[in-house]
Amino acid sequence: MIGELERIKSLLWKSWDPIGVNGSDGAQDEYDSYAFAIFTMLHAGADQNSIADYLHRAVTENIGLSGNREAEVAIAGEIMSIHEEARR
């Protein structure tokens, strides 16, 4: 399960990165709390829409930026793939 969490952290860092910090030294843990929340949601049975909704709220409510629903759904799909692969 730790591998799954690390892969989600990496995905958020490399592909989601709404505030554009993935090129900054010392900011690698910027999205760890979101990754852990998503990891927890997945293991409670969350689906792709729930993950996309969470990412949208994180961007719009927590970070204060405009969301991009299409991108959030795509990232949520990648997260679901990571989760399904980890379950095999």
mmCIF file of all heavy atoms in Angstrom, residues 56-85:
data_model
loop_
_atom_site.group_PDB
_atom_site.id
_atom_site.type_symbol
_atom_site.label_atom_id
_atom_site.label_comp_id
_atom_site.label_asym_id
_atom_site.label_seq_id
_atom_site.Cartn_x
_atom_site.Cartn_y
_atom_site.Cartn_z
ATOM 1 N N HIS A 56 -11.076 19.181 -7.305
ATOM 2 C CA HIS A 56 -11.687 20.466 -7.654
ATOM 3 C C HIS A 56 -11.843 21.362 -6.419
ATOM 4 O O HIS A 56 -11.496 22.538 -6.458
ATOM 5 C CB HIS A 56 -13.038 20.244 -8.333
ATOM 6 C CG HIS A 56 -13.683 21.503 -8.780
ATOM 7 N ND1 HIS A 56 -13.260 22.195 -9.890
ATOM 8 C CD2 HIS A 56 -14.703 22.218 -8.244
ATOM 9 C CE1 HIS A 56 -13.997 23.278 -10.023
ATOM 10 N NE2 HIS A 56 -14.884 23.307 -9.040
ATOM 11 N N ARG A 57 -12.338 20.781 -5.340
ATOM 12 C CA ARG A 57 -12.477 21.560 -4.096
ATOM 13 C C ARG A 57 -11.113 22.005 -3.573
ATOM 14 O O ARG A 57 -10.969 23.121 -3.072
ATOM 15 C CB ARG A 57 -13.213 20.742 -3.035
ATOM 16 C CG ARG A 57 -14.710 20.655 -3.265
ATOM 17 C CD ARG A 57 -15.448 20.062 -2.063
ATOM 18 N NE ARG A 57 -14.851 18.852 -1.514
ATOM 19 C CZ ARG A 57 -15.047 17.629 -1.977
ATOM 20 N NH1 ARG A 57 -15.856 17.435 -3.014
ATOM 21 N NH2 ARG A 57 -14.480 16.585 -1.402
ATOM 22 N N ALA A 58 -10.122 21.132 -3.693
ATOM 23 C CA ALA A 58 -8.778 21.496 -3.238
ATOM 24 C C ALA A 58 -8.272 22.713 -3.995
ATOM 25 O O ALA A 58 -7.723 23.646 -3.388
ATOM 26 C CB ALA A 58 -7.817 20.314 -3.432
ATOM 27 N N VAL A 59 -8.470 22.722 -5.299
ATOM 28 C CA VAL A 59 -7.989 23.844 -6.112
ATOM 29 C C VAL A 59 -8.808 25.105 -5.857
ATOM 30 O O VAL A 59 -8.248 26.182 -5.640
ATOM 31 C CB VAL A 59 -8.020 23.487 -7.622
ATOM 32 C CG1 VAL A 59 -7.744 24.705 -8.479
ATOM 33 C CG2 VAL A 59 -7.019 22.393 -7.926
ATOM 34 N N THR A 60 -10.121 24.979 -5.855
ATOM 35 C CA THR A 60 -10.965 26.173 -5.778
ATOM 36 C C THR A 60 -11.143 26.703 -4.357
ATOM 37 O O THR A 60 -11.129 27.912 -4.153
ATOM 38 C CB THR A 60 -12.341 25.916 -6.409
ATOM 39 O OG1 THR A 60 -12.998 24.848 -5.731
ATOM 40 C CG2 THR A 60 -12.206 25.600 -7.891
ATOM 41 N N GLU A 61 -11.304 25.814 -3.389
ATOM 42 C CA GLU A 61 -11.571 26.260 -2.024
ATOM 43 C C GLU A 61 -10.305 26.393 -1.188
ATOM 44 O O GLU A 61 -10.141 27.377 -0.472
ATOM 45 C CB GLU A 61 -12.547 25.304 -1.344
ATOM 46 C CG GLU A 61 -13.918 25.292 -2.011
ATOM 47 C CD GLU A 61 -14.853 24.254 -1.437
ATOM 48 O OE1 GLU A 61 -14.582 23.714 -0.343
ATOM 49 O OE2 GLU A 61 -15.860 23.954 -2.107
ATOM 50 N N ASN A 62 -9.429 25.417 -1.249
ATOM 51 C CA ASN A 62 -8.223 25.447 -0.408
ATOM 52 C C ASN A 62 -7.134 26.340 -0.991
ATOM 53 O O ASN A 62 -6.500 27.100 -0.276
ATOM 54 C CB ASN A 62 -7.655 24.048 -0.203
ATOM 55 C CG ASN A 62 -8.611 23.120 0.506
ATOM 56 O OD1 ASN A 62 -9.684 23.514 0.923
ATOM 57 N ND2 ASN A 62 -8.234 21.879 0.625
ATOM 58 N N ILE A 63 -6.903 26.204 -2.293
ATOM 59 C CA ILE A 63 -5.810 26.924 -2.936
ATOM 60 C C ILE A 63 -6.282 28.276 -3.465
ATOM 61 O O ILE A 63 -5.512 29.224 -3.527
ATOM 62 C CB ILE A 63 -5.167 26.051 -4.039
ATOM 63 C CG1 ILE A 63 -4.587 24.773 -3.404
ATOM 64 C CG2 ILE A 63 -4.091 26.815 -4.800
ATOM 65 C CD1 ILE A 63 -4.120 23.731 -4.396
ATOM 66 N N GLY A 64 -7.556 28.376 -3.828
ATOM 67 C CA GLY A 64 -8.119 29.650 -4.274
ATOM 68 C C GLY A 64 -7.904 29.957 -5.746
ATOM 69 O O GLY A 64 -7.892 31.114 -6.145
ATOM 70 N N LEU A 65 -7.752 28.922 -6.554
ATOM 71 C CA LEU A 65 -7.587 29.096 -7.996
ATOM 72 C C LEU A 65 -8.814 28.573 -8.720
ATOM 73 O O LEU A 65 -9.664 27.909 -8.124
ATOM 74 C CB LEU A 65 -6.347 28.336 -8.475
ATOM 75 C CG LEU A 65 -5.010 28.766 -7.892
ATOM 76 C CD1 LEU A 65 -3.909 27.810 -8.319
ATOM 77 C CD2 LEU A 65 -4.684 30.190 -8.289
ATOM 78 N N SER A 66 -8.887 28.862 -10.006
ATOM 79 C CA SER A 66 -9.964 28.303 -10.825
ATOM 80 C C SER A 66 -9.676 26.838 -11.082
ATOM 81 O O SER A 66 -8.534 26.477 -11.349
ATOM 82 C CB SER A 66 -10.038 29.031 -12.168
ATOM 83 O OG SER A 66 -10.330 30.386 -11.972
ATOM 84 N N GLY A 67 -10.679 26.034 -11.013
ATOM 85 C CA GLY A 67 -10.507 24.622 -11.305
ATOM 86 C C GLY A 67 -10.576 24.355 -12.795
ATOM 87 O O GLY A 67 -11.012 25.199 -13.573
ATOM 88 N N ASN A 68 -10.129 23.178 -13.179
ATOM 89 C CA ASN A 68 -10.207 22.722 -14.560
ATOM 90 C C ASN A 68 -10.795 21.323 -14.498
ATOM 91 O O ASN A 68 -10.074 20.351 -14.306
ATOM 92 C CB ASN A 68 -8.820 22.727 -15.206
ATOM 93 C CG ASN A 68 -8.838 22.202 -16.624
ATOM 94 O OD1 ASN A 68 -9.705 21.442 -17.022
ATOM 95 N ND2 ASN A 68 -7.845 22.609 -17.393
ATOM 96 N N ARG A 69 -12.095 21.230 -14.616
ATOM 97 C CA ARG A 69 -12.798 19.964 -14.409
ATOM 98 C C ARG A 69 -12.265 18.852 -15.307
ATOM 99 O O ARG A 69 -12.095 17.716 -14.861
ATOM 100 C CB ARG A 69 -14.301 20.162 -14.610
ATOM 101 C CG ARG A 69 -15.131 18.962 -14.279
ATOM 102 C CD ARG A 69 -15.039 18.614 -12.835
ATOM 103 N NE ARG A 69 -15.822 17.416 -12.579
ATOM 104 C CZ ARG A 69 -15.877 16.813 -11.436
ATOM 105 N NH1 ARG A 69 -15.223 17.292 -10.405
ATOM 106 N NH2 ARG A 69 -16.592 15.743 -11.268
ATOM 107 N N GLU A 70 -11.980 19.175 -16.555
ATOM 108 C CA GLU A 70 -11.470 18.154 -17.474
ATOM 109 C C GLU A 70 -10.133 17.593 -16.974
ATOM 110 O O GLU A 70 -9.925 16.377 -16.970
ATOM 111 C CB GLU A 70 -11.289 18.763 -18.864
ATOM 112 C CG GLU A 70 -10.950 17.763 -19.935
ATOM 113 C CD GLU A 70 -10.907 18.406 -21.299
ATOM 114 O OE1 GLU A 70 -11.896 19.063 -21.690
ATOM 115 O OE2 GLU A 70 -9.869 18.249 -21.976
ATOM 116 N N ALA A 71 -9.249 18.462 -16.535
ATOM 117 C CA ALA A 71 -7.949 18.025 -16.020
ATOM 118 C C ALA A 71 -8.112 17.241 -14.715
ATOM 119 O O ALA A 71 -7.426 16.239 -14.497
ATOM 120 C CB ALA A 71 -7.027 19.222 -15.811
ATOM 121 N N GLU A 72 -9.031 17.693 -13.866
ATOM 122 C CA GLU A 72 -9.257 17.006 -12.586
ATOM 123 C C GLU A 72 -9.814 15.604 -12.796
ATOM 124 O O GLU A 72 -9.399 14.663 -12.121
ATOM 125 C CB GLU A 72 -10.190 17.854 -11.709
ATOM 126 C CG GLU A 72 -9.544 19.158 -11.286
ATOM 127 C CD GLU A 72 -10.500 20.305 -11.062
ATOM 128 O OE1 GLU A 72 -11.725 20.145 -11.229
ATOM 129 O OE2 GLU A 72 -9.987 21.395 -10.738
ATOM 130 N N VAL A 73 -10.694 15.458 -13.764
ATOM 131 C CA VAL A 73 -11.243 14.135 -14.091
ATOM 132 C C VAL A 73 -10.140 13.240 -14.655
ATOM 133 O O VAL A 73 -10.052 12.055 -14.316
ATOM 134 C CB VAL A 73 -12.439 14.251 -15.067
ATOM 135 C CG1 VAL A 73 -12.824 12.897 -15.637
ATOM 136 C CG2 VAL A 73 -13.625 14.905 -14.363
ATOM 137 N N ALA A 74 -9.275 13.805 -15.488
ATOM 138 C CA ALA A 74 -8.176 13.027 -16.067
ATOM 139 C C ALA A 74 -7.207 12.550 -14.982
ATOM 140 O O ALA A 74 -6.807 11.381 -14.972
ATOM 141 C CB ALA A 74 -7.443 13.846 -17.120
ATOM 142 N N ILE A 75 -6.835 13.429 -14.066
ATOM 143 C CA ILE A 75 -5.937 13.049 -12.967
ATOM 144 C C ILE A 75 -6.616 12.000 -12.090
ATOM 145 O O ILE A 75 -5.984 11.025 -11.678
ATOM 146 C CB ILE A 75 -5.516 14.273 -12.133
ATOM 147 C CG1 ILE A 75 -4.657 15.219 -12.962
ATOM 148 C CG2 ILE A 75 -4.806 13.857 -10.856
ATOM 149 C CD1 ILE A 75 -3.312 14.667 -13.373
ATOM 150 N N ALA A 76 -7.903 12.187 -11.826
ATOM 151 C CA ALA A 76 -8.641 11.209 -11.022
ATOM 152 C C ALA A 76 -8.642 9.842 -11.712
ATOM 153 O O ALA A 76 -8.528 8.808 -11.047
ATOM 154 C CB ALA A 76 -10.065 11.693 -10.771
ATOM 155 N N GLY A 77 -8.731 9.827 -13.027
ATOM 156 C CA GLY A 77 -8.665 8.566 -13.772
ATOM 157 C C GLY A 77 -7.312 7.891 -13.609
ATOM 158 O O GLY A 77 -7.238 6.671 -13.436
ATOM 159 N N GLU A 78 -6.255 8.685 -13.655
ATOM 160 C CA GLU A 78 -4.911 8.128 -13.446
ATOM 161 C C GLU A 78 -4.769 7.588 -12.025
ATOM 162 O O GLU A 78 -4.149 6.538 -11.809
ATOM 163 C CB GLU A 78 -3.854 9.184 -13.724
ATOM 164 C CG GLU A 78 -3.750 9.552 -15.190
ATOM 165 C CD GLU A 78 -2.646 10.548 -15.453
ATOM 166 O OE1 GLU A 78 -1.494 10.267 -15.056
ATOM 167 O OE2 GLU A 78 -2.944 11.601 -16.054
ATOM 168 N N ILE A 79 -5.339 8.294 -11.070
ATOM 169 C CA ILE A 79 -5.306 7.834 -9.679
ATOM 170 C C ILE A 79 -6.056 6.513 -9.541
ATOM 171 O O ILE A 79 -5.588 5.590 -8.871
ATOM 172 C CB ILE A 79 -5.884 8.910 -8.734
ATOM 173 C CG1 ILE A 79 -4.912 10.089 -8.641
ATOM 174 C CG2 ILE A 79 -6.189 8.333 -7.353
ATOM 175 C CD1 ILE A 79 -5.471 11.323 -7.966
ATOM 176 N N MET A 80 -7.197 6.390 -10.208
ATOM 177 C CA MET A 80 -7.954 5.140 -10.151
ATOM 178 C C MET A 80 -7.149 3.998 -10.760
ATOM 179 O O MET A 80 -7.182 2.882 -10.248
ATOM 180 C CB MET A 80 -9.310 5.293 -10.869
ATOM 181 C CG MET A 80 -10.259 6.278 -10.211
ATOM 182 S SD MET A 80 -10.622 5.972 -8.463
ATOM 183 C CE MET A 80 -11.406 4.384 -8.528
ATOM 184 N N SER A 81 -6.409 4.284 -11.822
ATOM 185 C CA SER A 81 -5.561 3.254 -12.435
ATOM 186 C C SER A 81 -4.482 2.798 -11.471
ATOM 187 O O SER A 81 -4.209 1.594 -11.362
ATOM 188 C CB SER A 81 -4.927 3.787 -13.720
ATOM 189 O OG SER A 81 -5.897 4.002 -14.700
ATOM 190 N N ILE A 82 -3.870 3.746 -10.778
ATOM 191 C CA ILE A 82 -2.853 3.405 -9.765
ATOM 192 C C ILE A 82 -3.486 2.514 -8.699
ATOM 193 O O ILE A 82 -2.902 1.496 -8.295
ATOM 194 C CB ILE A 82 -2.263 4.683 -9.129
ATOM 195 C CG1 ILE A 82 -1.378 5.415 -10.136
ATOM 196 C CG2 ILE A 82 -1.493 4.359 -7.855
ATOM 197 C CD1 ILE A 82 -0.981 6.816 -9.706
ATOM 198 N N HIS A 83 -4.663 2.890 -8.255
ATOM 199 C CA HIS A 83 -5.351 2.138 -7.201
ATOM 200 C C HIS A 83 -5.691 0.719 -7.661
ATOM 201 O O HIS A 83 -5.465 -0.253 -6.939
ATOM 202 C CB HIS A 83 -6.602 2.892 -6.765
ATOM 203 C CG HIS A 83 -7.375 2.210 -5.686
ATOM 204 N ND1 HIS A 83 -6.865 1.956 -4.442
ATOM 205 C CD2 HIS A 83 -8.645 1.725 -5.683
ATOM 206 C CE1 HIS A 83 -7.778 1.351 -3.715
ATOM 207 N NE2 HIS A 83 -8.860 1.195 -4.438
ATOM 208 N N GLU A 84 -6.235 0.619 -8.871
ATOM 209 C CA GLU A 84 -6.594 -0.712 -9.388
ATOM 210 C C GLU A 84 -5.359 -1.584 -9.555
ATOM 211 O O GLU A 84 -5.390 -2.773 -9.229
ATOM 212 C CB GLU A 84 -7.333 -0.568 -10.727
ATOM 213 C CG GLU A 84 -8.720 0.013 -10.588
ATOM 214 C CD GLU A 84 -9.632 -0.822 -9.712
ATOM 215 O OE1 GLU A 84 -9.594 -2.067 -9.809
ATOM 216 O OE2 GLU A 84 -10.386 -0.244 -8.916
ATOM 217 N N GLU A 85 -4.284 -1.000 -10.031
ATOM 218 C CA GLU A 85 -3.031 -1.759 -10.195
ATOM 219 C C GLU A 85 -2.496 -2.238 -8.841
ATOM 220 O O GLU A 85 -2.004 -3.355 -8.708
ATOM 221 C CB GLU A 85 -2.001 -0.882 -10.897
ATOM 222 C CG GLU A 85 -0.774 -1.626 -11.324
ATOM 223 C CD GLU A 85 0.160 -0.731 -12.119
ATOM 224 O OE1 GLU A 85 -0.273 -0.173 -13.133
ATOM 225 O OE2 GLU A 85 1.336 -0.600 -11.692
#
